[in-house]
Amino acid sequence: TASLQQLIDVSPLAVLRLDGAGSITGANAAFHKLTHQAFAERLPEGLNALVSDARREEAQTLLTRMLAGDIPASPQLLELKLPSGAAVM
């Protein structure tokens, strides 16, 4: 709904929107600020393209489970790689 989208947009937590294939279709301002990237021109982009090499297999397993309906009860942390080479969690 519109009010949920507004809440996500202003959330201080980084939030991604994924499609059924696991591609990023949107991100809130906190995600753009965290990663120092704007994704509008690159969407859709696979989530794994942003995950650090060391955590990619773990992220793919989590994503596969979530897309199958097995949604974790708590927020999930991913280690992302930035264009600068730095990693954020």
Side-chain angles (χ1 to χ4, degrees):
T1 67
S3 58
L4 176 60
Q5 186 58 51
Q6 290 171 331
L7 180 64
I8 290 170
D9 289 343
V10 299
S11 173
L13 301 175
V15 178
L16 292 174
R17 183 175 49 248
L18 304 176
D19 65 14
S23 294
I24 301 168
T25 60
N28 70 351
F31 182 82
H32 295 293
K33 184 176 180 180
L34 174 71
T35 62
H36 305 284
Q37 297 184 57
F39 286 95
E41 67 279 354
R42 295 172 36 191
L43 297 180
E45 179 168 19
L47 177 63
N48 276 343
L50 302 179
V51 176
S52 70
D53 294 340
R55 303 289 295 269
R56 191 166 287 142
E57 186 175 334
E58 175 186 349
Q60 183 59 49
T61 299
L62 175 64
L63 180 60
T64 299
R65 285 182 33 221
M66 291 173 69
L67 291 172
D70 184 10
I71 308 299
S74 60
Q76 301 298 297
L77 299 176
L78 296 174
E79 183 176 315
L80 304 179
K81 61 182 178 183
L82 301 179
S84 66
V88 295
M89 192 119 195

